[in-house]
């Protein structure tokens, strides 16, 4: 079977089709499905971008692996914000969104017959990119009773001498689960012992709902010695999903190998966008971030209250802008979400869109307008 044929079907296409059909039939759909922030990029960043766009020097090919100024800003941000020390030249790589980095990483490690451990449930790119590189994704479970963290004994059982990468994603999409210091220490030690590169997709690291400072995996590792890579993204941090800017930091060899793949694949991020990112990660970082994440605590409170009234169990968290909910009764996740669309015009995502382990769960995204969140909450109460 060819690589493309090995890719699993994309459940979200079916959801998009059902949504379009409902809209065409005149249903006033409330879409709490996609995790794409409804609010604009902060004004201050728009202004930096407008200036940067006007500079002719920015219209040429960008520094392919990241502008030196941005790489320094990233290293400075990691030090100030997360207490992590990395060398800006050899341990930082600018990405065209974290999806791009995740998509290319297996090409740097996975040969035919190799495998990568990927979470069930998780962002589909880890497994798909492994398949496209010619390797085999091996799913490990994230179970509710473990707080949606992997079972280390299971991970060790799944590893063999062809295991190259272990993908994790904390704070986690779709569950909102987080990692703590002990968890990271154990995972780093396991991967070190087995010679597996540990990759944390930290796209949601800064989306915290209680003002707490999140924990970077790199803080628990020694990124100059441990084979680790963490991917950060400005997409959710600053409502910049359309801008395509993210970065990876970690061990110089891992960063270097991903950089080698990218040399053949892309020509870097528009320099004006990189200049804006320098500003975003600079002195006004905390203020800018606060203005973005302030939207979510109240939205979550409203939604969780409605779900409680409807008798729907929610996984408790203060991380990410997702609410991870248990499907009530015995209905499958797809049936339940299909019925939500047909009966009350509400789009929510069936948990098995993130892997078979998501059966019995569904995800609500808090990235819709306040009015839609209120209306969605009203429909949930009135429905059940
Ligand atoms: C877990 C996870 N990782 C990565 C991404 C991709 O983010 P980016 O916009 O940085 O490519 C997403 C986007 O939804 C995501 O949910």
């Amino acid at each position: 079977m060819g690589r493309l044929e090995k890719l699993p079907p994309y459940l979200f296409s079916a959801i998009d089709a059902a949504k379009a059909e409902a809209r065409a039939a005149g249903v006033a759909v409330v879409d709490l499905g996609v995790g794409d922030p409804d609010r604009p990029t902060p004004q201050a960043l728009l202004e930096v971008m407008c200036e940067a766009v006007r500079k002719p020097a920015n219209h040429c090919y960008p520094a392919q692996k990241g502008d030196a100024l941005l790489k320094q800003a990233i290293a400075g941000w990691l030090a100030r914000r997360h207490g992590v020390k990395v060398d800006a030249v050899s341990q930082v790589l600018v990405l065209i969104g974290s999806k791009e980095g995740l998509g290319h990483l297996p090409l740097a490690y996975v040969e035919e017959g190799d495998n990568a451990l990927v979470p069930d449930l998780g962002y589909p790119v880890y497994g798909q990119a492994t398949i496209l590189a010619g390797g085999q994704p091996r799913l490990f479970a994230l179970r509710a009773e473990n707080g949606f963290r992997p079972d280390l004994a299971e991970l060790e059982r799944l590893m063999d001498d062809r295991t190259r990468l272990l993908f994790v994603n904390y704070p986690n999409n779709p569950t909102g689960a987080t990692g703590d210091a002990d968890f990271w220490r154990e995972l780093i030690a396991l991967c070190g012992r087995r010679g597996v590169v540990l990759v944390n997709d930290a796209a949601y690291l800064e989306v915290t709902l209680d003002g707490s400072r999140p924990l970077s995996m790199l803080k628990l590792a020694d990124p100059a010695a441990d084979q680790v890579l963490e991917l950060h993204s400005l997409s959710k941090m600053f409502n910049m999903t359309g801008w395509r800017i993210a970065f990876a930091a970690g061990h110089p060899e891992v960063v270097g190998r991903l950089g080698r793949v990218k040399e053949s694949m892309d020509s870097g991020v528009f320099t004006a966008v990189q200049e804006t990112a320098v500003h975003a990660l600079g002195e006004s970082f905390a203020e800018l971030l606060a203005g973005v994440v302030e939207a979510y605590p109240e939205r979550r409170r409203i939604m969780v209250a409605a779900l409680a009234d409807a008798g729907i169990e929610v996984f408790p968290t203060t991380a990410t802008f997702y609410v991870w909910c248990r499907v009530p009764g015995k209905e499958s996740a797809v049936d339940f979400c299909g019925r939500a669309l047909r009966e009350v015009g509400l789009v929510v995502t069936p948990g098995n869109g993130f892997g078979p382990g998501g059966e019995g769960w569904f995800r609500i995204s808090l990235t819709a307008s306040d009015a839609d969140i209120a209306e969605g909450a009203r429909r949930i109460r009135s429905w059940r």
Side-chain angles (χ1 to χ4, degrees):
M1 212 194 314
R3 290 175 191 187
L4 282 186
E5 285 70 44
K6 283 186 195 156
L7 290 177
Y10 195 56
L11 182 77
F12 296 101
S13 320
I15 298 173
D16 285 345
K19 212 162 43 179
E21 203 178 297
R23 285 204 171 108
V27 179
V29 169
V30 170
D31 189 351
L32 306 181
V34 284
D36 194 356
D38 60 303
R39 297 166 85 222
T41 305
Q43 184 63 28
L45 298 183
L46 297 183
E47 277 155 26
V48 175
M49 179 66 177
C50 288
E51 283 273 306
V53 165
R54 288 197 187 94
K55 296 181 196 164
N58 287 348
H59 302 169
C60 302
Y61 282 117
Q64 191 261 336
K65 290 182 181 152
D67 199 83
L69 269 183
L70 177 54
K71 289 172 62 157
Q72 274 158 22
I74 290 166
W77 176 81
L78 280 169
R80 283 190 313 278
R81 175 81 179 158
H82 292 294
V84 169
K85 202 171 157 297
V86 290
D87 171 51
V89 176
S90 61
Q91 292 183 275
V92 172
L93 186 64
V94 172
L95 304 172
I96 314 169
S98 47
K99 183 175 189 180
E100 178 266 303
L102 293 163
H104 281 144
L105 186 64
L107 288 174
Y109 279 94
V110 174
E111 304 290 340
E112 290 288 336
D114 286 345
N115 66 77
L117 301 192
V118 310
D120 168 22
L121 15 108
Y123 188 54
V125 175
Y126 320 129
Q128 291 168 3
T130 301
I131 291 171
L132 289 174
Q136 192 202 32
R138 286 194 180 163
L139 294 184
F140 61 86
L142 302 182
R143 298 187 184 87
E145 61 267 29
N146 293 338
F148 295 108
R149 290 180 185 169
D151 172 345
L152 266 72
E154 181 187 344
L155 285 181
E156 187 135 32
R157 272 198 306 279
L158 287 170
M159 285 177 181
D160 61 20
D161 59 0
R162 303 299 301 267
T163 306
R164 300 285 173 245
L165 300 165
L166 166 60
F167 286 98
V168 290
N169 161 227
Y170 293 100
N172 183 255
N173 173 18
T175 65
T178 53
D180 63 14
D182 285 344
F183 164 77
W184 285 125
R185 276 191 205 102
E186 287 181 42
L187 214 53
I188 292 161
L190 170 63
C191 288
R193 225 173 32 247
R194 301 297 299 257
V196 172
V197 176
L198 173 58
V199 183
N200 184 37
D201 171 2
Y204 295 90
L205 189 64
E206 299 297 341
V207 183
T208 55
L209 278 58
D210 62 352
S212 62
R213 187 169 289 218
L215 182 63
S216 162
M217 169 189 75
L218 296 177
K219 178 132 191 230
L220 282 312
D222 175 357
D226 299 317
Q227 296 276 322
V228 293
L229 191 76
E230 191 163 72
L231 293 95
H232 296 259
S233 174
L234 277 76
S235 286
K236 320 287 164 130
M237 240 193 265
F238 292 121
N239 299 338
M240 289 171 77
T241 52
W243 294 53
R244 312 314 298 138
I245 175 94
F247 54 92
H251 191 279
E253 189 185 322
V254 187
V255 168
R257 289 177 74 116
L258 177 56
R260 290 279 319 272
V261 173
K262 282 172 59 59
E263 276 168 6
S264 306
M265 298 292 193
D266 67 67
S267 300
V269 175
F270 182 22
T271 308
V273 172
Q274 296 200 50
E275 232 177 274
T276 312
V278 171
H279 188 88
L281 298 172
E283 277 168 20
S284 22
F285 171 80
E287 197 187 323
L288 291 167
L289 178 69
V292 170
V293 298
E294 69 179 8
Y296 302 123
E298 178 61 6
R299 290 180 182 181
R300 184 174 171 98
R301 194 195 61 70
I302 291 169
M303 195 53 72
V304 168
L307 290 159
D309 288 349
I312 295 175
E313 182 193 334
V314 161
F315 179 69
T317 182
T318 54
T320 77
F321 44 55
Y322 298 117
V323 188
W324 184 241
C325 317
R326 211 187 269 273
V327 173
K330 297 257 177 281
E331 208 172 5
S332 76
V334 167
D335 287 351
F336 176 84
C337 295
R339 215 157 52 74
L341 179 58
R342 282 193 312 278
E343 295 179 8
V344 285
L346 194 60
V347 177
V348 293
T349 308
N352 51 326
F354 304 95
E359 183 52 88
W361 293 81
F362 68 100
R363 190 193 76 175
I364 292 177
S365 174
L366 301 173
T367 54
S369 68
D370 291 346
D372 276 2
I373 296 287
E375 176 59 16
R378 196 192 63 72
R379 292 184 191 187
I380 286 170
R381 274 203 182 88
S382 71
W383 183 33
R384 300 199 54 85

